[in-house]
Amino acid sequence: MNTTSATLAPVFTFLEHTLTTAQTTFNKLPGSAVIQRYVKSSHQNDPGRTLLELILVIFAIRTLLQSRTRADRNGKNFIQFSEKEIDELVDEWIPEPLGNALTANEQSDLASAPIISGPNGPKPKLAATGKNALNLASYNFTGLAGNEHIKQRAIDTLRKYGLGSCGPPGFYGTLDVHMDLENDIADFLGTEAAILYSQGFSTISSVIPAFCKRGDIIVADRAVNFAIQKGIQISRSTIRWFDHNDLNSLEEVLIGIEKERKKRRGPMTRRFIVTEGIFQKDGAMVDLPKLIELKYKYKYRLILDESYSFGSVGRTGRGLTELYNVPASKVDMLLGSCAIGLASAGGFCAGSRTVVDHQRINGPSFVFSASMPALLAVSASEGINILRNTPSIFETLQDNVRAARAILDRVDCITIPSHPASPIIHIYVRQPQSHQYLQYPAPISASSSSSSAKHHHSHHVSAKDAVRDAEYEVEERLLQEVVEETLSHGVIVTRAKRLKGQEIVEPRPSIRLTLTSGLTKKETEKAVNVLKTVLVKVLSKRR
């Protein structure tokens, strides 16, 4: 026994020295005293817990040290298949479709779409008949599509600069023609500066998240277009909605937000009003002077999307600021589309120098997307020059709008929600007084607290939704019949196409007319009279 103790004495001495050294080293670490107190109290009160924690620490250390990937170099864990088995598995594999199969209605709509032979314009040639048709379906308000002067300038620019820049504007994608277009837009609208985006859709969906962040407040119209909805979604801001084009509802929402802030004594946050000049969904027009009055009264910033009003209203097409004689400087962020208003491509945001410079660093689409081809920038600049020097374009356009409305307003079987000056005219099927279709349904309010009341409320909403869906399909088929019948008479019109199930609210099916100064008043009246005759003929079947 003594011999064994003498043999193990050096081992015990080594272990004691090691433990003493480890304890001394550990005591020198910051916070070691706290850990010692925790371990002593934990072990004294619950020794089993100490063992469990030790196991967890060892497991954590093992997990951190082990390799993240378990490569089987020998392949012993892999199942070996013969060539025949592999071929059989490949033959049996059915890949999932990239998209859902088209419904019968979608296939019918696609088959009935007119095919244009040659360039598009106010009077394109139909491939099916070889005859020219009157076009009331393209966003060619000013008739600049196919302009020979713009076409020649684009060809000259293509020969000088090539096709594309192949780079984002912040790196090597900016050319002198891009800067010229930005200056032309700012000068045309009367703002300090403007920034150019290469895609029209991504303009507003990039501007909103560039300024609006989590915790900020956005007050938006319920009927804003899909691009604005995406920008609002990306921003992750707090959203408050007001009734479509109802500025009294807007003021009520602004007052409610301020009361809520004072009640919880919250700090002032960045607050924005987001709306459109002319609404894509129904052609309604916002009351800009009243909107600016509310903006200043409640201290909000205004983001105004004029994609469908720039190049369509005002004496020279400057949009609502010109139509209502409001300085553009009173709109914090004024957006427009070069694709729609100038028959080119891309979009822009005009405002103060600070607003524009901020987007050059924080605008996702500006920072990460390639700049537009030089020939399109030159085309847009030439379009601005034409609008500036030829105000008769908009006199002709408004004459056509008045002529079309004079005909359509007398048709009993339809309703038109569009503003009388809007070149976008939406046509709805008139609903019986006993069953009015809800165009912009209000959000469901959970005012009832009992489970039975909630069940009854949800059942009622489901029934209403079923009726609405059925009515939606009926109206779509009727309007599609009108479109096809009108096309057979040499007039191109279209249904307003939607991303069903993806928008905040489902707008009613409608026929969308887009008038143009490229047609004379007589041609416009002829085309609209054809549409009127077909509307009466088709919709009378429903009665």
Side-chain angles (χ1 to χ4, degrees):
M1 184 71 179
N2 293 333
T3 305
T4 304
S5 301
T7 305
L8 296 176
V11 176
F12 293 146
T13 303
F14 174 75
L15 291 175
E16 182 181 2
H17 175 72
T18 303
L19 291 174
T20 303
T21 303
Q23 183 177 3
T24 304
T25 305
F26 178 76
N27 290 336
K28 293 179 181 180
L29 297 176
S32 58
V34 177
I35 297 176
Q36 284 182 355
R37 288 197 301 271
Y38 170 76
V39 172
K40 288 180 180 179
S41 63
S42 174
H43 180 71
Q44 183 178 1
N45 297 330
D46 188 1
R49 178 178 175 180
T50 303
L51 178 62
L52 177 61
E53 290 180 347
L54 181 61
I55 294 173
L56 291 175
V57 169
I58 296 173
F59 177 76
I61 294 174
R62 178 179 178 275
T63 303
L64 292 173
L65 295 180
Q66 74 178 358
S67 174
R68 289 291 188 273
T69 58
R70 299 181 179 179
D72 187 359
R73 300 181 183 275
N74 298 325
K76 61 182 181 180
N77 293 323
F78 291 99
I79 300 175
Q80 298 296 328
F81 291 100
S82 65
E83 292 294 332
K84 182 180 179 180
E85 290 173 328
I86 293 175
D87 292 339
E88 290 176 351
L89 289 173
V90 170
D91 293 337
E92 293 174 359
W93 180 68
I94 301 176
E96 294 183 3
L98 296 176
N100 295 329
L102 295 179
T103 64
N105 289 339
E106 290 172 339
Q107 291 176 350
S108 176
D109 293 346
L110 187 61
S112 63
I115 300 175
I116 303 301
S117 176
N120 198 358
K123 302 175 186 177
K125 181 183 291 187
L126 297 177
T129 62
K131 297 179 180 179
N132 291 334
L134 299 177
N135 189 357
L136 297 182
S138 297
Y139 289 120
N140 184 26
F141 303 126
T142 54
L144 294 178
N147 182 282
E148 289 299 328
H149 172 68
I150 294 178
K151 187 186 299 184
Q152 188 56 49
R153 288 286 289 117
I155 292 173
D156 295 341
T157 306
L158 177 62
R159 288 171 176 163
K160 179 179 179 180
Y161 291 92
L163 182 58
S165 60
C166 300
F171 291 88
Y172 45 83
T174 298
L175 304 173
D176 55 349
V177 292
H178 295 133
M179 300 172 68
D180 292 341
L181 177 55
E182 291 178 346
N183 293 332
D184 290 340
I185 292 171
D187 180 67
F188 186 60
L189 293 174
T191 60
E192 291 183 7
I195 182 172
L196 193 63
Y197 289 84
S198 53
Q199 297 95 18
F201 183 91
S202 64
T203 301
I204 185 68
S205 58
S206 179
V207 171
I208 291 175
F211 292 96
C212 309
K213 307 297 181 183
R214 189 189 299 272
D216 296 340
I217 296 175
I218 295 177
V219 183
D221 191 296
R222 291 188 187 279
V224 291
N225 61 55
F226 190 61
I228 295 179
Q229 294 176 34
K230 292 291 103 178
I232 290 174
Q233 181 183 1
I234 295 170
S235 72
R236 297 186 178 182
S237 301
T238 301
I239 313 301
R240 297 288 186 269
W241 302 98
F242 64 93
D243 294 339
H244 175 44
N245 205 26
D246 185 347
L247 297 188
N248 292 327
S249 172
L250 169 61
E251 187 167 17
E252 291 175 2
V253 172
L254 300 182
I255 292 172
I257 291 173
E258 185 61 20
K259 286 182 179 178
E260 182 182 346
R261 185 189 70 83
K262 290 180 178 179
K263 182 178 180 180
R264 56 184 176 84
R265 298 180 181 179
M268 290 285 288
T269 59
R270 290 177 297 190
R271 303 182 294 184
F272 302 84
I273 298 173
V274 180
T275 188
E276 294 182 76
I278 292 178
F279 288 86
Q280 178 200 30
K281 290 186 177 180
D282 62 2
M285 186 184 299
V286 72
D287 184 350
L288 185 59
K290 176 66 173 177
L291 184 63
I292 291 178
E293 178 186 335
L294 294 177
K295 166 207 156 181
Y296 281 114
K297 181 178 179 180
Y298 296 97
K299 298 179 177 60
Y300 277 70
R301 294 182 175 91
L302 175 60
I303 301 177
L304 181 64
D305 185 1
E306 289 214 65
S307 293
Y308 300 91
S309 51
F310 174 77
S312 65
V313 295
R315 191 182 68 86
T316 56
R318 287 174 168 87
L320 265 62
T321 54
E322 185 178 45
L323 181 67
Y324 288 106
N325 196 26
V326 173
S329 58
K330 292 189 176 182
V331 180
D332 298 276
M333 283 144 273
L334 196 157
L335 295 94
S337 171
C338 298
I340 296 173
L342 301 174
S344 177
F348 64 84
C349 178
S352 66
R353 182 75 59 182
T354 302
V355 164
V356 168
D357 289 344
H358 177 79
Q359 294 176 67
R360 297 194 189 278
I361 300 175
N362 293 278
S365 179
F366 183 85
V367 173
F368 298 108
S369 297
S371 57
M372 70 166 62
L375 65 94
L376 295 176
V378 171
S379 299
S381 290
E382 291 298 327
I384 289 178
N385 292 333
I386 293 174
L387 300 187
R388 193 196 305 269
N389 299 323
T390 320
S392 60
I393 289 176
F394 299 97
E395 295 175 4
T396 302
L397 178 60
Q398 284 303 312
D399 285 343
N400 290 343
V401 172
R402 286 189 289 269
R405 289 301 296 264
I407 296 171
L408 294 173
D409 287 342
R410 296 197 299 266
V411 181
D412 294 333
C413 56
I414 63 172
T415 57
I416 299 176
S418 308
H419 189 276
S422 170
I424 302 177
I425 301 176
H426 284 259
I427 300 173
Y428 295 156
V429 178
R430 183 181 293 277
Q431 294 294 323
Q433 293 296 328
S434 59
H435 177 62
Q436 286 294 325
Y437 186 96
L438 295 179
Q439 179 192 0
Y440 296 107
I444 298 170
S445 59
S447 57
S448 179
S449 57
S450 67
S451 59
S452 61
K454 288 182 179 179
H455 176 75
H456 173 75
H457 181 71
S458 62
H459 177 74
H460 172 69
V461 171
S462 298
K464 184 170 65 175
D465 288 344
V467 172
R468 184 183 296 117
D469 290 343
E471 187 70 17
Y472 190 101
E473 295 296 333
V474 170
E475 289 192 10
E476 275 199 330
R477 290 304 95 208
L478 282 171
L479 295 178
Q480 182 60 31
E481 187 177 347
V482 171
V483 169
E484 295 174 8
E485 180 73 15
T486 306
L487 180 62
S488 66
H489 291 83
V491 178
I492 303 175
V493 297
T494 182
R495 287 188 3 249
K497 303 301 175 62
R498 311 293 185 205
L499 293 172
K500 192 174 180 181
Q502 297 190 37
E503 305 220 20
I504 296 171
V505 290
E506 295 288 349
R508 282 187 60 182
S510 64
I511 287 179
R512 189 203 70 214
L513 299 185
T514 46
L515 301 179
T516 173
S517 61
L519 296 175
T520 64
K521 181 179 178 180
K522 185 176 180 180
E523 290 170 332
T524 301
E525 290 176 338
K526 175 184 176 182
V528 176
N529 273 315
V530 169
L531 175 61
K532 171 190 172 182
T533 303
V534 174
L535 282 168
V536 173
K537 174 185 174 183
V538 174
L539 298 185
S540 62
K541 300 176 183 177
R542 193 183 187 210
R543 299 179 181 177

